Amino acid sequence: MDALIRRGSLEMSAAMLISGTIGWFVLVSGQPVLDVVFWRCLFGAATLLLVCAALGLLRKDILTQRVLLLAVVSGAAIVGNWVLLFGSYSRASIAIGTAVYNVQPFLLVGLGALFLGEKITAQKLFWLCLAFGGMLAIVSAHEGQGESGDDYLLGIGLALGAALLYAFAALLIKRLSGTPPHLIALIQVCTGVLLLAPWANLGTPPQEASAWASLLALGIIHTGLMYVLLYGAIQKLPTALTGALSFIYPIAAIFVDWLAFGHRLGWLQWFGVGAILLAAAGMQQGWSPRLRRSAVQ
């Protein structure tokens, strides 16, 4: 294996493993979701500001009015995405929320067809139907959630909303090709600080050291460090390998949810999770059931 690809693979794997523990830190912090996202943005902005300064990215020639506008709007979508996703964790569980969140490639395809006129091929439609079947399986499993059934469905709805906002942000970021990704991330988290400052409970900050440790970790490790690793890996790896390694994230999240909180999925939920992840992998890797069948023959 080429040394550059090996290094990129390690960076991507580390970034996805870090992402897989986000839900644990969110719940352990014990703070309201809006407060968690605010502090994540604040600490993340401080970390990314240092990174951008070290890389020499804080230059006027890079930050045009168009770039700033698109980055701010995408930042608002990313912040909304975090609020909804974190809200889903305490209702549907980290595992289910993360699995449902992985329908985002299909929402991006839909937005691309709606706003960019991109064609939805039969191959993409097949994977879309499989993901939809997985969603139905997960939703139908709410009957086993007892009195929390309504919360379970709300959690799924929040995760879907988060995926939609992420797909919208990704659509905007596509228009920022050539702009350093670390700078885009810095603008996004700064946008989050400004948007959430009026809503965060700044007058009554967390009292426990464990809460501050969780919030610092979410900002410095899960935002600053994770973005550096992720973007460094994307620059080194082929797109197919990047897509394949991205599935470390939901798998890690499922195991963290099980080990830390004892949340075990039922067989119908496992079926739904598997269907969504398989469909997302097929979409990202460009697998074709027809081609695979003819190859066997």
Side-chain angles (χ1 to χ4, degrees), residues 215-229:
L215 296 173
L216 281 167
L218 285 168
I220 297 173
I221 299 175
H222 294 88
T223 305
L225 177 60
M226 194 274 289
Y227 272 118
V228 171
L229 290 171

Side-chain angles (χ1 to χ4, degrees), residues 119-129 287-290:
K119 183 180 179 182
I120 299 180
T121 63
Q123 178 181 327
K124 290 180 179 178
L125 188 60
F126 172 83
W127 296 120
L128 179 61
C129 290
W287 294 340
S288 173
R290 181 180 301 175

Side-chain angles (χ1 to χ4, degrees), residues 62-252:
I62 298 178
L63 196 60
T64 64
Q65 187 175 359
R66 173 182 174 275
V67 167
L68 181 61
L69 178 61
L70 288 175
V72 167
V73 176
S74 69
I78 288 292
V79 170
N81 149 72
W82 287 346
V83 170
L84 295 181
L85 181 61
F86 292 176
S88 75
Y89 291 156
S90 60
R91 294 172 173 85
S93 84
I94 296 171
I96 294 300
T98 303
V100 172
Y101 182 64
N102 272 270
V103 303
Q104 54 188 259
F106 307 101
L107 297 177
L108 185 57
V109 167
L111 290 176
L114 187 62
F115 294 107
L116 302 180
E118 296 178 354
K119 183 180 179 182
I120 299 180
T121 63
Q123 178 181 327
K124 290 180 179 178
L125 188 60
F126 172 83
W127 296 120
L128 179 61
C129 290
L130 180 61
F132 182 70
M135 273 294 307
L136 290 180
I138 289 176
V139 169
S140 66
H142 81 281
E143 295 176 358
Q145 302 297 312
E147 295 180 355
S148 64
D150 289 341
D151 263 0
Y152 179 76
L153 293 178
L154 177 58
I156 290 175
L158 291 173
L160 277 174
L164 180 60
L165 286 177
Y166 183 88
F168 177 70
L171 206 62
L172 293 175
I173 293 171
K174 278 187 174 184
R175 299 179 178 270
L176 292 173
S177 58
T179 305
H182 303 86
L183 184 60
I184 297 174
L186 174 60
I187 296 171
Q188 289 174 336
V189 290
C190 286
T191 301
V193 172
L194 295 175
L195 285 177
L196 295 177
W199 308 102
N201 295 316
L202 301 181
T204 54
Q207 301 299 314
E208 301 82 7
S210 60
W212 281 116
S214 298
L215 296 173
L216 281 167
L218 285 168
I220 297 173
I221 299 175
H222 294 88
T223 305
L225 177 60
M226 194 274 289
Y227 272 118
V228 171
L229 290 171
L230 178 62
Y231 292 144
I234 289 173
Q235 292 172 348
K236 300 178 182 71
L237 297 176
T239 302
L241 185 54
T242 301
L245 291 174
S246 69
F247 286 95
I248 293 175
Y249 162 45
I251 294 171

